[in-house]
Amino acid sequence: MKRHLKGLFFDYFVINLGLILSAVGIGIFLVPGRLVSSGVPGVATILFYGMGIPIGLTILIFNIPIFILGVKVFGKEYGFKTFFGIVGLAFYTQTFQSLLNNTSVIDYAKGGNLLLAPIFGGLFLGSGMGLIFRFGGSMGGADILGQVISKYSKLPVPHAILMLDMLVMGSGIVVFGIERGLYAILSAFTCNLILNKIFEGVSHSKMVYITSSKYDEIQELLANDIQTESTTIMTKSRIQDSERKMIMVILKNKQLRDLQVFMRRIDPTAFIVISEVYEVFGDAEDE
């Protein structure tokens, strides 16, 4: 029990650190530079400059109903970590915005290099998101909506999230102009690059072994939502003296993150082993 509590405390400590880094990227670099990031923070930036609504308030107001929708559609598996992430991001972003009095550490009006905003904004935001996702947290927003859209439209989750992000960033181009929009795209590229490096690790692929009573549902998830092939391995338990099916699949960056999100919904008790993969040869379907 004590070991479990220590592990849980460490998870929340790292998630909280990730929220602070994300808020630095949004509140200190992206918002003052008028760069629309993806998801709810991007919407918050547009509303802040268009209507004067505080960034943190918008993040909270938009995310709470999205979180409730996710709980209604998928159940309580979203858990406290997602709620903690939503409230934490809103609080820290608003805190930084208030401390700086809506100014930036870089004075763009006096010749500050705007290129620093997408680079360092993306760096801090990507680092924060990588830590949050790696320890099972979430910042809500597009991640939840993407899963809801996928559930009812059969559109793969990554495509649904990309569609939402393009809608938000496209609105930013309309509001702030093409030049700021291009800088925003650069920030998104930097953010995703850092996010994948932190979340995925040093290798480009992961080998994932899954043992679960929800075998058929997981196979359907891998084929339809994550869009990858898997291999079935028969295993035998020494304790229960019974045979069970184990799924073996090789995943890349975003696919691994999507799998972990879905598994918390389908079967939180599933036994999952993840290992590094550096090279893959051949076709599993030929075996």
Side-chain angles (χ1 to χ4, degrees):
M1 177 63 71
K2 288 184 178 180
R3 182 175 297 179
H4 172 72
L5 290 176
K6 286 182 179 179
L8 196 61
F9 175 81
F10 184 73
D11 286 353
Y12 277 100
F13 174 81
V14 177
I15 291 172
N16 189 62
L17 176 61
L19 292 170
I20 294 174
L21 292 174
S22 299
V24 169
I26 296 169
I28 294 182
F29 292 99
L30 297 180
V31 174
R34 302 194 180 202
L35 302 183
V36 177
S37 59
S38 58
V40 174
V43 175
T45 303
I46 295 173
L47 293 180
F48 172 68
Y49 283 104
M51 303 174 64
I53 302 175
I55 299 290
L57 182 62
T58 301
I59 291 175
L60 191 62
I61 290 176
F62 271 69
N63 266 315
I64 293 301
I66 292 174
F67 173 74
I68 294 174
L69 174 65
V71 172
K72 286 186 175 181
V73 173
F74 301 119
K76 297 180 180 179
E77 288 81 2
Y78 273 94
F80 187 71
K81 283 184 178 179
T82 299
F83 184 77
F84 178 78
I86 291 171
V87 175
L89 182 66
F91 171 76
Y92 287 125
T93 304
Q94 188 57 49
T95 298
F96 285 125
Q97 186 183 19
S98 300
L99 288 175
L100 293 173
N101 194 25
N102 301 331
T103 60
S104 172
V105 293
I106 305 169
D107 193 344
Y108 304 114
K110 295 182 179 179
N113 191 346
L114 184 59
L115 185 60
L116 295 175
I119 293 177
F120 284 93
L123 177 64
F124 277 101
L125 181 57
S127 299
M129 292 175 66
L131 292 176
I132 292 168
F133 294 146
R134 185 152 192 169
F135 285 82
S138 171
M139 298 193 302
D143 285 347
I144 297 177
L145 286 178
Q147 293 176 60
V148 173
I149 292 173
S150 176
K151 178 179 176 64
Y152 292 107
S153 68
K154 300 303 180 182
L155 185 71
V157 174
H159 295 176
I161 294 176
L162 178 62
M163 180 182 68
L164 293 170
D165 288 345
M166 289 178 64
L167 180 62
V168 174
M169 298 184 75
S171 301
I173 292 176
V174 173
V175 175
F176 299 117
I178 295 178
E179 184 178 356
R180 300 272 174 170
L182 294 175
Y183 276 119
I185 293 174
L186 177 60
S187 74
F189 175 80
T190 306
C191 174
N192 280 283
L193 180 65
I194 300 301
L195 165 61
N196 289 334
K197 288 298 181 183
I198 292 177
F199 183 78
E200 183 186 357
V202 295
S203 68
H204 295 287
S205 300
K206 302 287 185 182
M207 178 77 78
V208 183
Y209 298 93
I210 307 171
T211 302
S212 169
S213 59
K214 304 290 185 65
Y215 171 83
D216 293 330
E217 291 181 48
I218 297 171
Q219 285 282 44
E220 184 179 351
L221 160 70
L222 292 170
N224 298 330
D225 293 290
I226 300 182
Q227 296 185 320
T228 188
E229 298 294 333
S230 60
T231 300
T232 300
I233 303 174
M234 295 304 299
T235 63
K236 186 173 183 179
S237 172
R238 294 179 60 186
I239 300 176
Q240 299 177 347
D241 194 28
S242 61
E243 289 192 345
R244 299 186 66 181
K245 294 180 179 178
M246 175 183 286
I247 299 172
M248 181 188 76
V249 62
I250 297 174
L251 301 176
K252 296 183 180 295
N253 47 56
K254 187 70 167 58
Q255 291 177 315
L256 178 61
R257 175 187 158 202
D258 291 336
L259 175 68
Q260 291 180 326
V261 171
F262 274 115
M263 288 304 299
R264 287 197 294 271
R265 170 170 47 110
I266 294 176
D267 186 5
T269 63
F271 181 71
I272 302 175
V273 177
I274 303 173
S275 61
E276 304 282 354
V277 173
Y278 295 94
E279 289 186 281
V280 179
F281 298 97
D283 187 347
E285 294 184 42
D286 294 335
E287 296 178 358

